[in-house]
C-alpha cells in the first residue's frame, strides 16, 4: 500500500529540518550544557517539534477499514501471530492489515471484507433488507439465492450501510471459536468458546470498535446537529448508528415534543391561579389530574410510534437469541455439563448468595446510611449559616451547593462500587449481570437524589427551602452533565495530544544522540493512524504519519504472500492477508 500523502495545505515538518539563520540585527540565542548537546543551536526552535493539536488534527480518512482491533504496547509477536492465524483460518472472508503505531508502540488489526463476502455474511446474520416494489416491497431477511429481489443490490456502495458492514464483521469476530485444548499463554479456552470476547476480557485485546466515516458525519452534522426546529433525520441515524441509537433519539424527540402540552397547560393554570390557599389547592388537583391523563396518552402514543418505527426498520418481528452466550468475565470450576455434555465453567449459586448477604447487602445499606448522614450534616450547616447575621445572601446557598456536589460525587463512587460488587457476584449471563446492576444503581440513585427533597417537603414542610434546593440540584446536575460530556473529553484529548508531541520530541532527541545528527520532529507522511493512542475514534479519521507497516521479515513469519516486500515494510496488498508498507 502506498504511503498516505500529507493533507492538502499541510506543511511537512521535514521541510523545517534545515538550519534557518536568525533575523538580521538579532543575536543568536546561547545554548548551554546538556540541552546544547541534545539540540545544538536550535534549542529555541525545538518548540516547533512540539506539534500543536491543530497539526495532529489534520487527518486523512482511514481507507479500507471497517473495524479496528487494538492491542496494548506490551503485546508480543507470538500473540499477534496466533490471533491472526486463527482469524485467517476461522474467518477467511475477512481482510486484515497489521499496523504499528510509532509513538505509542501499539499494534492494531485493520479489518474489512469484500462485497461478496459481506453478502454471504448478511445471509448468515439474517440481515433484513428492503425488497423491490415489483417483488412485494417491505423488508425481509437477506438470502443470497434471491439477491436479485433486493433494492440497490447491484451497487456495492449503496446496498450496505457502514453500520451494516460493521455489524456483519462484528458478528464474524464474536463467533470466532476455539477448538478443544487450545491455549494462548496462560489463557486456556473451552471447546467452542468465543476467542475475541475472552481475550478482550483478559486485556490481551485492548479494544474493538467501528471506524467512523467523516463524510456521513459531516452530513449528519448539517442535517441533525446544526438544524434548528427541523425533524430529526431518524432514517439516516438508523442507517449509520443502528436501530437502538435511532430508537433512543426517536423517543427523546417524541418525549420533548409531548412535554409542550403540560408546559403550556401549567403556565396558563399558574397565570389564572389566585393567591389564596384554596385557589392554589384546586390548581394543584387540576394539574395532577391533567398529568395522569397526559401520561396515559403519552405512553399509548409512544407504543404506536415505537411499533411503527420498529416495523419500518425491520425489528418488529426479529427473533430473540435462543441461547445466550456466557459472559467472558464469568469464572468458575471446569466441569462437564449434565445437559449438553460439553465442558463449561460452573460457579455454585450458594457462593453468590453468601456474597450477596454478607458483602453486597451490608455495603449497599452502609452507603445509603452515609448519604443520609451527609444530608443531615448539610442541613445542620444550613441552619448554622442562617443563624449568623450579616452574611451575604449568596452564602445561604453554599450548603445547598455542597449537598449537590455530595450527591454527584457519591453517585459516581457508588456506581463504581456497584460494578465491583456485580463482578464479584460472578453472574454467568449478561442479562442477569445487567439486571442486578440496574437494581443496585437505581435504588441508590433514587435515595441519593430524592431523599433530601422528600425530607424537606414531607418532614420539614418548608416549601421555600424545597424550591431553592430543587433549583440548585437541577442547575448543578445540568452543569455537571455538560462538563462531563464536553469539557472533560476535550481536555483529555488535548492532554493526550500534548503527551504524544512530547514523546515525539523525546524520541527525536534520542535519535539525535544515537546518530550524532540534527534532531527531527514528528514525521508526517507514511501510513495513517489514529493519533494519541487511537484517541480519535469520535472523529473517524486517522492522523498522518503515525501507523507504519511491519518489516518484511515479520510479514514472512505470518505465512502470507510477501510479493512487493522491501527491506523496510511489506507491500503485498493484493493478497487477502497483507501487511501494509
Amino acid at each position: 500500500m502506498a504511503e498516505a500523502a500529507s493533507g492538502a495545505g499541510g506543511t511537512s515538518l521535514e521541510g523545517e529540518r534545515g538550519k534557518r539563520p536568525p533575523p538580521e540585527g538579532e543575536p543568536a540565542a546561547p545554548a548551554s550544557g546538556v540541552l546544547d548537546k541534545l539540540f545544538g543551536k536550535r534549542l529555541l526552535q525545538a518548540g516547533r517539534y512540539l506539534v500543536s493539536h491543530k497539526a495532529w488534527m489534520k487527518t486523512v480518512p482511514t481507507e479500507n477499514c471497517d473495524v479496528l482491533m487494538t492491542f496494548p504496547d506490551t503485546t508480543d509477536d507470538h500473540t499477534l501471530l496466533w490471533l491472526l492465524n486463527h482469524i485467517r483460518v476461522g474467518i477467511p472472508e475477512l481482510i486484515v492489515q497489521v499496523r504499528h503505531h510509532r509513538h505509542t508502540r501499539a499494534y492494531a488489526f485493520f479489518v474489512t471484507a469484500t462485497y461478496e463476502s459481506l453478502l454471504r455474511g448478511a445471509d448468515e446474520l439474517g440481515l433484513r433488507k428492503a425488497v423491490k416494489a415489483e417483488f412485494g416491497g417491505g423488508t425481509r431477511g437477506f438470502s443470497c439465492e434471491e439477491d436479485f429481489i433486493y433494492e440497490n443490490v447491484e451497487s456495492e456502495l449503496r446496498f450496505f450501510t457502514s453500520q451494516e458492514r460493521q455489524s456483519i464483521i462484528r458478528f464474524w469476530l464474536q463467533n470466532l471459536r476455539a477448538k478443544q485444548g487450545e491455549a494462548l499463554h496462560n489463557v486456556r479456552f473451552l471447546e467452542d468458546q468465543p476467542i475475541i470476547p475472552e481475550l478482550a476480557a483478559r486485556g490481551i485485546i485492548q479494544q474493538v470498535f467501528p471506524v467512523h466515516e467523516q463524510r456521513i458525519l459531516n452530513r449528519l452534522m448539517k442535517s441533525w446537529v446544526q438544524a434548528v426546529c427541523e425533524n430529526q433525520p431518524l432514517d439516516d441515524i438508523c442507517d449509520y448508528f443502528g436501530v437502538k441509537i435511532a430508537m433512543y433519539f426517536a423517543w427523546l424527540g417524541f418525549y420533548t415534543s409531548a412535554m409542550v402540552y403540560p408546559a403550556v397547560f401549567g403556565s396558563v393554570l399558574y397565570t389564572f391561579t389566585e393567591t389564596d390557599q384554596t385557589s392554589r389547592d384546586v390548581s394543584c388537583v387540576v394539574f395532577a389530574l391533567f398529568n395522569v391523563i397526559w401520561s396515559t396518552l403519552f405512553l399509548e402514543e409512544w407504543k404506536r410510534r415505537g411499533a411503527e418505527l420498529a416495523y419500518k426498520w425491520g425489528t418488529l418481528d426479529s427473533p430473540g437469541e435462543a441461547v445466550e452466550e456466557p459472559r467472558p468475565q464469568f469464572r468458575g470450576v471446569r466441569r462437564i455439563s449434565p445437559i449438553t455434555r460439553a465442558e463449561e465453567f460452573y460457579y455454585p449459586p450458594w457462593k453468590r448468595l453468601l456474597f450477596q448477604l454478607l458483602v453486597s447487602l451490608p455495603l449497599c445499606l452502609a452507603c445509603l446510611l452515609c448519604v443520609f448522614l451527609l444530608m443531615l450534616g448539610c442541613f445542620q450547616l444550613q441552619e448554622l449559616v442562617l443563624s449568623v447575621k450579616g452574611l451575604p445572601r449568596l452564602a445561604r446557598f453554599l450548603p445547598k451547593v455542597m449537598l449537590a456536589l455530595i450527591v454527584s460525587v457519591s453517585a459516581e463512587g457508588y456506581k463504581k462500587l456497584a460494578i465491583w460488587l456485580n463482578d464479584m457476584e460472578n453472574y454467568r449471563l449478561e442479562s442477569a449481570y445487567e439486571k442486578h446492576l440496574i437494581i443496585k444503581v437505581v435504588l441508590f440513585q433514587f435515595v441519593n437524589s430524592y431523599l433530601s427533597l422528600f425530607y424537606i417537603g414531607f418532614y420539614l414542610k418548608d416549601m421555600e427551602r424545597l424550591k431553592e434546593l430543587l433549583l440548585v440540584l437541577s442547575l448543578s446536575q445540568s452543569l455537571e452533565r455538560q462538563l462531563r460530556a464536553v469539557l472533560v473529553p476535550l481536555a483529555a484529548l488535548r492532554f493526550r495530544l500534548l503527551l504524544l508531541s512530547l514523546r515525539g520530541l523525546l524520541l527525536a532527541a534520542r535519535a539525535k544522540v544515537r546518530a550524532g545528527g540534527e534532531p527531527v520532529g514528528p514525521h508526517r507522511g507514511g501510513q495513517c493512524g489514529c493519533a494519541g493512542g487511537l484517541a480519535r475514534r469520535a472523529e473517524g479519521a486517522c492522523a498522518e504519519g503515525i501507523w507504519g507497516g511491519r518489516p518484511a521479515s515479520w510479514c514472512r513469519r505470518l505465512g502470507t504472500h510477501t510479493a512487493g516486500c522491501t527491506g523496510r515494510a511489506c507491500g503485498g496488498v493484493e493478497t487477502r492477508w497483507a501487511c501494509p508498507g
Side-chain angles (χ1 to χ4, degrees):
M1 181 179 293
E3 294 187 350
S6 298
T11 305
S12 174
L13 291 180
E14 291 193 6
E16 299 179 0
R17 293 181 184 175
K19 294 184 177 180
R20 184 175 300 174
E24 295 182 2
E26 183 176 322
S32 60
V34 179
L35 293 177
D36 182 50
K37 294 180 181 180
L38 288 176
F39 300 103
K41 297 181 179 180
R42 301 188 63 196
L43 178 59
L44 294 180
Q45 299 180 9
R48 73 184 57 184
Y49 299 121
L50 292 174
V51 182
S52 66
H53 71 280
K54 293 182 179 180
W56 285 120
M57 303 288 268
K58 292 182 181 295
T59 59
V60 293
T62 304
E63 298 290 342
N64 300 324
C65 178
D66 290 302
V67 175
L68 190 62
M69 183 187 304
T70 64
F71 302 87
D73 55 359
T74 57
T75 305
D76 57 358
D77 286 355
H78 171 71
T79 301
L80 297 175
L81 293 169
W82 186 91
L83 182 58
L84 185 60
N85 181 67
H86 276 69
I87 295 177
R88 177 178 61 184
V89 175
I91 319 174
E93 296 87 359
L94 292 182
I95 301 173
V96 179
Q97 297 177 356
V98 184
R99 299 185 183 180
H100 180 250
H101 197 285
R102 294 180 185 174
H103 299 313
T104 62
R105 298 173 184 174
Y107 300 91
F109 288 175
F110 286 64
V111 186
T112 186
T114 62
Y115 180 65
E116 291 75 14
S117 300
L118 290 173
L119 291 176
R120 294 193 296 269
D123 195 348
E124 296 176 18
L125 188 59
L127 189 67
R128 300 186 69 87
K129 298 296 294 182
V131 179
K132 295 179 180 177
E134 56 265 30
F135 295 102
T139 61
R140 58 172 291 185
F142 182 80
S143 173
C144 289
E145 298 178 356
E146 300 177 326
D147 56 356
F148 57 89
I149 70 173
Y150 299 95
E151 291 184 359
N152 302 322
V153 71
E154 301 84 4
S155 174
E156 297 185 11
L157 299 178
R158 298 175 58 191
F159 186 64
F160 288 116
T161 64
S162 62
Q163 184 266 337
E164 290 172 340
R165 294 197 310 268
Q166 292 159 354
S167 297
I168 295 172
I169 294 175
R170 180 182 180 275
F171 170 77
W172 281 333
L173 292 175
Q174 295 292 330
N175 284 274
L176 178 63
R177 300 180 180 270
K179 299 179 181 178
Q180 186 176 8
E182 284 191 318
L184 175 62
H185 298 305
N186 60 339
V187 181
R188 291 182 55 202
F189 295 96
L190 301 177
E191 185 179 4
D192 254 0
Q193 183 179 5
I195 295 177
I196 302 296
E198 178 67 18
L199 295 182
R202 297 293 188 99
I204 297 176
I205 295 177
Q206 194 173 43
Q207 51 186 345
V208 180
F209 56 83
V211 178
H212 278 303
E213 288 191 20
Q214 195 64 39
R215 174 182 56 85
I216 303 179
L217 285 179
N218 293 335
R219 188 176 66 196
L220 287 174
M221 178 67 72
K222 295 179 180 178
S223 63
W224 183 26
V225 180
Q226 298 176 351
V228 180
C229 299
E230 295 184 12
N231 294 329
Q232 298 184 95
L234 294 177
D235 291 336
D236 294 338
I237 298 173
C238 178
D239 291 341
Y240 188 71
F241 291 103
V243 176
K244 184 181 293 186
I245 302 297
M247 191 67 74
Y248 167 76
F249 281 103
W251 175 85
L252 191 62
F254 185 84
Y255 174 72
T256 305
S257 301
M259 287 294 291
V260 173
Y261 300 102
V264 173
F265 183 81
S267 300
V268 173
L269 191 63
Y270 178 80
T271 302
F272 291 98
T273 300
E274 298 180 0
T275 57
D276 59 289
Q277 187 64 36
T278 304
S279 179
R280 291 183 178 181
D281 294 341
V282 171
S283 298
C284 289
V285 173
V286 171
F287 191 64
L289 293 176
F290 173 83
N291 283 334
V292 171
I293 299 174
W294 170 83
S295 59
T296 303
L297 295 177
F298 168 77
L299 291 176
E300 294 301 322
E301 279 296 314
W302 170 246
K303 289 179 183 178
R304 181 174 182 178
R305 176 62 174 164
E308 177 186 345
L309 293 175
Y311 175 78
K312 181 179 181 181
W313 294 333
T315 59
L316 183 62
D317 55 351
S318 58
E321 295 184 4
V323 180
E324 187 177 357
E325 291 286 346
R327 296 173 58 244
Q329 297 85 356
F330 177 69
R331 294 292 176 266
V333 296
R334 295 173 181 265
R335 73 164 189 177
I336 302 299
S337 173
I339 300 176
T340 62
R341 296 299 175 185
E343 190 179 16
E344 66 174 7
F345 286 118
Y346 175 74
Y347 187 75
W350 65 267
K351 288 186 177 182
R352 182 180 301 113
L353 180 61
L354 191 65
F355 186 86
Q356 289 174 342
L357 295 177
L358 298 182
V359 180
S360 297
L361 184 60
L363 281 179
C364 293
L365 294 178
C367 290
L368 295 177
L369 180 61
C370 288
V371 168
F372 180 71
L373 294 178
L374 289 173
M375 180 199 69
L376 292 181
C378 289
F379 287 158
Q380 291 296 325
L381 181 61
Q382 177 74 26
E383 295 294 337
L384 179 61
V385 170
L386 293 178
S387 64
V388 177
K389 304 297 183 181
L391 289 179
R393 183 177 177 81
L394 291 178
R396 60 183 297 183
F397 288 97
L398 291 180
K400 298 181 178 64
V401 173
M402 185 181 301
L403 178 61
L405 293 177
I406 290 175
V407 168
S408 300
V409 173
S410 58
E412 281 299 313
Y414 181 80
K415 185 177 181 180
K416 295 181 180 180
L417 176 63
I419 293 175
W420 179 79
L421 291 175
N422 241 35
D423 292 338
M424 295 300 295
E425 290 171 9
N426 195 22
Y427 293 99
R428 180 175 180 270
L429 301 179
E430 189 69 30
S431 58
Y433 179 88
E434 292 181 354
K435 182 181 72 174
H436 287 82
L437 181 61
I438 289 173
I439 292 174
K440 293 183 179 70
V441 173
V442 169
L443 174 63
F444 181 83
Q445 292 282 23
F446 179 80
V447 175
N448 185 41
S449 300
Y450 300 110
L451 178 62
S452 57
L453 300 178
F454 276 90
Y455 182 81
I456 294 177
F458 293 98
Y459 183 75
L460 299 180
K461 299 180 180 179
D462 190 343
M463 292 297 105
E464 292 300 323
R465 292 181 60 179
L466 181 62
K467 293 177 183 178
E468 293 178 357
L469 181 60
L470 187 59
L471 176 64
V472 172
L473 289 177
S474 301
L475 293 179
S476 61
Q477 291 179 1
S478 177
L479 180 61
E480 180 207 0
R481 284 193 294 267
Q482 294 298 326
L483 290 175
R484 186 181 302 176
V486 179
L487 294 183
V488 173
L490 180 61
L493 177 60
R494 296 291 179 86
F495 182 70
R496 286 172 180 264
L497 296 178
L498 177 61
L499 289 182
L500 188 63
S501 299
L502 291 174
R503 189 168 184 175
L505 180 61
L506 181 60
L507 293 176
R510 289 177 179 176
K512 195 262 180 184
V513 172
R514 294 193 192 100
E518 288 291 332
V520 295
H523 178 67
R524 289 193 189 177
Q527 293 297 339
C528 73
C530 296
L534 303 170
R536 295 297 317 286
R537 174 179 184 262
E539 293 296 328
C542 293
E544 303 167 8
I546 302 299
W547 290 98
R550 296 302 305 267
S553 59
W554 197 90
C555 296
R556 296 188 187 98
R557 292 176 59 191
L558 302 180
T560 59
H561 177 62
T562 56
C565 283
T566 65
R568 189 179 69 86
C570 171
V573 186
E574 298 301 326
T575 60
R576 181 172 295 277
W577 301 94
C579 181

